[in-house]
Amino acid sequence: MSDPADFSRPADDLPGEPTSPWLATTPDASYPPLEADLTVDVCVVGAGIAGLSTAIELRDRGASVVVLERDHVAAGTTGKSTAKVTSQHGLQYDQLHREFGSKAARQYATVNEAAIDTIEERIASLEIDCGFERQPSYLYGNEPDALRREADAAQRAGLPASLVRSVPPFERAQGAVKFDDQAWFHPRRYLLALAEWLHEDDDAAIYERTRVTAVDPGTRPRVRTPSGTVSANHVVLATGFPLLDRAGYFTRLYPKRSYVLAVRLGVDPPEGMYYRAGDNYRSVRTHRDAQGALLLVGGENHKTGQGGPTRERYQRLLEWATDRFPIEGVEYRWSTQDYVSVDGLPFVGRAGPGARNVSIATGFGGWGMTGGTAAGELLAESITGTDPPVLELFDPLRFTPKPSLPKTLTENADAASQFVTDWVQALVAPDLAGISRGEGRVIRQGASPIAAARDGDGDLHTVSAVCPHTACLVDWNDAECTWDCPCHGSRFTPDGRLLEGPATEDLSPVDPDR
Ligand code: FES
């Protein structure tokens, strides 16, 4: 196999090491790949916070469990999170109150607050050194009425919420909604310890570098990989986009990317963590390390594969941070991908018709630390006993309330129009010469769209531009040097190797001289 393409030099002008502090400061675990057929009670796909939380809860209830991970434990979305452990999820409670009712808002608040406690208890009982700290969380903005409504809805949902003025210290704002007793931590240290604890049990096992290629639902579902099949009574898909779509998730779930810089400050960081609501959100929290404190500044989100050059997003984030903080240097930069449902609630529960014994956990919208932890407990309870009443709120087959319906239709139309537009553009585009180093373009070769990218040595890499999931065309991500699919968020290296699903295959190789 040839060496992977080197796209590091074209990205050199971006600041910081291209990884999260969580991934930079922890080694990968070394669980083996699956190499035999297995039979267990429950097979969990995905070793992020939702998958491992589910596996632990199942094991605690006496089920035998196996976890299959395409990459490494907590190397995906969880390892790239800003790792705020909070019930404050943007302007969530006012919307929940209006669209789903006060009971739903209370239920949502209760499961997320319980998830913070669960994480804290696990850390204490296993003595995990992961920087868990209780901190206040502030949602700030310049729309006083919206903030007042949010504070009011959160209080009625039973949360420790109050409306405060004079925050944040680094930006002008009309006020903020403060939640007391929220938390932050180092997510990978937490999950590596949970994985170790799980793997020690005779009735549990983790397999890394194991790509799931198909899930056969049925009375006794099977999970297929290139090197073994797992038969189980139940399967949990704790991946971004469900590998099995029996309920039209492609119309109700969309991928979004967001960006984070970890900057070293010349002064003490502000206390607490912050979130500026709105389309162009900003997120701020501190992470303490051996050198002092890093400030994590996040934002600039957009739909995957759409929204223009991604390098500019890092640059805008840096400008924003530089205008507000005395920055000594940027230590890390990274981006991540989350899935968002059209009505703003996660999908946790049975996957759909004909898949009674397959469950999913996704759509946390960037709030997976509490959402994934809560999903683990709810799914384990449901699989080994009876459905907790709150599961109805997260039912993947739930009726979408009217206010969200236009968004469902828009998402649907958006994916469809992206599909058509990209194909038309590719098929009318002439062959393009002069792709520069670090650049990628979809060009035409005969009647076929191919994805061509030039690496730091000047070599051209060409693969099919057709995503193997459902045939949308991939788009070049110039900050990460990846091919990203705008329809459901699959991502690939410049050589076409699959980085994240729902696709289960690589992009097909193409000979540029054909
Ligand atoms: Fe669905 Fe690419 S991820 S078509």
Side-chain angles (χ1 to χ4, degrees), residues 54 58 236 348-349 359-361 374-384 391:
T54 306
L58 285 162
V236 175
V348 180
S359 294
I360 64 165
E377 182 168 357
L378 296 174
L379 288 178
E381 195 59 42
S382 162
I383 291 165
T384 59
L391 210 48

Side-chain angles (χ1 to χ4, degrees), residues 467 469-472 485 487-490 502:
C467 176
H469 180 227
T470 58
C472 288
C485 181
C487 286
H488 316 111
S490 293

